[in-house]
Amino acid sequence: RYAPADAKSAYAQAVLQLPAWPSGCEPASLAYALNRLGIDASIEDVISVLDFDPEFTDYVYHYAGDPAGSGSAYAPVMTRAAN
């Protein structure tokens, strides 16, 4: 395992996906990872910067669908949201 020499804790606040975001595992995971790095981010913060594709045709550059209902996204979508 890698931990920076100045790491104080491996703890980060839990980011709860349910009940509001049943298909929001990608935004929840990114919010958790950002919190672990010391960046205050909620699942709502992450969702607010996502580009959406309500037609479910592009999972690579858009969040296809809706995290509050049915949807998903591939890594490039979440990478852009993190940046």
Side-chain angles (χ1 to χ4, degrees):
R1 287 186 163 186
Y2 171 77
D6 62 348
K8 295 183 175 141
S9 172
Y11 176 79
Q13 181 67 34
V15 176
L16 302 178
Q17 172 184 343
L18 297 174
W21 309 106
S23 291
C25 59
E26 298 91 343
S29 297
L30 177 56
Y32 180 83
L34 291 171
N35 282 312
R36 175 61 184 93
L37 292 172
I39 300 167
D40 186 27
S42 68
I43 189 170
E44 291 81 7
D45 294 332
V46 172
I47 289 170
S48 74
V49 298
L50 293 175
D51 293 321
F52 290 93
D53 171 21
E55 302 299 319
F56 289 86
T57 58
D58 178 11
Y59 291 82
V60 178
Y61 298 106
H62 297 86
Y63 189 97
D66 180 0
S70 177
S72 188
Y74 290 149
V77 178
M78 305 317 296
T79 301
R80 279 196 336 196
N83 290 327

